[in-house]
Amino acid sequence: MWELVKAGGWLMTPIVVCSILALVIIIERSHTLQFNKIVPSRLREQLITRLRENGDIGRTQLMNVREKTALGDILATGLLYRQYGLESMTMHMQNRASVQIHHLEKNINMLGTIGAISPLLGLLGTVLGIISSFLAITDGAMQDPTMLAAGVSQALITTAAGMVVAIPALVAYRYFQRRIIDINAQFETQAGLMVQELYDYQLLDYAHVAMPANYVPVDDSMADDQSFDGLGSDKASIAAL
């Protein structure tokens, strides 16, 4: 293996570095993007059941749920802000979902970049190898074929190495992209189901929603008396006419 790297010339160094980076990112993202660690099953059902049984969930418990998983962060944030109404609750859940998706996309773009530049590095090695072969011909490589073979081997080795690095990197990049899309869809589904269940079981708390400063409650009996008084005065004026 080391002989192949040496035969490929100096361009094999960045190709090897790209291969190491790609391998590290693939292993790290494969461990991080496990579905059951990000979207644990029955988490939403457990939160709704606890709400129905106890009427509320303590802030400390919700903070513990937020710290464990990405889905727990989104759902617990919604429950923390449910007392301020549906709009506030939804906005906070959307913000947390955006933050979690950003964390899940860590190093994914670098993996795609490695998959894109590795073939270009191999192609550059191919061009340099062919150039060195033609220069060897002008220097009398027809009498010494080994001078011509060195440039050809460099061209073939760098091309193959670039392809070997790029193919798995691009496959992993597409796979992780699709996994993040599926996770994002699951975030939206679970958040929507939780809001629907809060409605169905009447668990939304609007008691702490601030009313307008100039809001004055209307007494129905007073309104009825005023309407009847107004109607009597109208009748009196009509009789006077």
Side-chain angles (χ1 to χ4, degrees):
M1 180 63 69
W2 177 245
E3 295 298 327
L4 290 175
V5 174
K6 289 176 61 179
W10 64 271
L11 274 173
M12 287 297 294
T13 301
I15 294 177
V16 171
V17 171
C18 287
S19 66
I20 295 173
L21 286 176
L23 182 61
V24 171
I25 293 172
I26 290 172
I27 294 174
E28 188 270 335
R29 288 293 92 183
S30 298
H31 177 74
T32 302
L33 296 178
Q34 294 183 18
F35 214 82
N36 57 347
K37 290 185 177 181
I38 300 173
V39 187
S41 60
R42 302 190 60 81
L43 176 61
R44 189 194 78 256
E45 291 87 343
Q46 293 173 1
L47 292 174
I48 294 297
T49 301
R50 190 176 302 177
L51 271 176
R52 295 182 64 188
E53 292 176 352
N54 303 330
D56 196 7
I57 302 177
R59 184 178 182 85
T60 303
Q61 294 177 336
L62 289 177
M63 295 302 293
N64 291 333
V65 173
R66 287 186 62 180
E67 295 174 357
K68 290 182 179 180
T69 61
L71 179 62
D73 182 16
I74 297 169
L75 299 183
T77 300
L79 293 178
L80 284 171
Y81 289 92
R82 70 188 178 95
Q83 59 180 331
Y84 301 109
L86 178 61
E87 184 177 355
S88 176
M89 174 182 171
T90 304
M91 290 178 61
H92 281 90
M93 285 196 295
Q94 289 176 348
N95 291 336
R96 293 311 304 170
S98 299
V99 172
Q100 291 297 334
I101 291 297
H102 179 71
H103 289 163
L104 295 177
E105 290 177 342
K106 180 182 178 182
N107 295 329
I108 298 296
N109 288 332
M110 182 178 291
L111 189 62
T113 302
I114 291 173
I117 67 173
S118 295
L120 296 179
L121 291 173
L123 180 61
L124 179 59
T126 302
V127 173
L128 294 178
I130 293 174
I131 291 174
S132 64
S133 298
F134 279 106
L135 291 176
I137 292 174
T138 60
D139 292 337
M142 299 307 294
Q143 288 78 22
D144 188 5
T146 57
M147 297 177 62
L148 181 63
V152 175
S153 63
Q154 177 183 352
L156 296 177
I157 290 171
T158 54
T159 302
M163 293 296 180
V164 168
V165 175
I167 291 173
L170 285 176
V171 171
Y173 173 68
R174 296 298 183 185
Y175 172 78
F176 291 142
Q177 272 192 329
R178 185 63 205 180
R179 174 59 66 90
I180 292 174
I181 291 174
D182 294 338
I183 291 172
N184 189 26
Q186 195 63 228
F187 284 164
E188 295 178 357
T189 300
Q190 293 295 319
L193 288 174
M194 188 181 74
V195 172
Q196 181 179 351
E197 289 173 348
L198 290 176
Y199 263 121
D200 294 341
Y201 299 120
Q202 299 180 357
L203 297 173
L204 282 175
D205 186 6
Y206 294 102
H208 300 284
V209 178
M211 300 302 293
N214 59 350
Y215 174 76
V216 178
V218 178
D219 190 349
D220 293 338
S221 60
M222 293 177 61
D224 292 340
D225 294 341
Q226 290 176 358
S227 62
F228 282 119
D229 291 342
L231 181 60
S233 60
D234 291 341
K235 288 182 178 180
S237 60
I238 294 173
L241 290 174

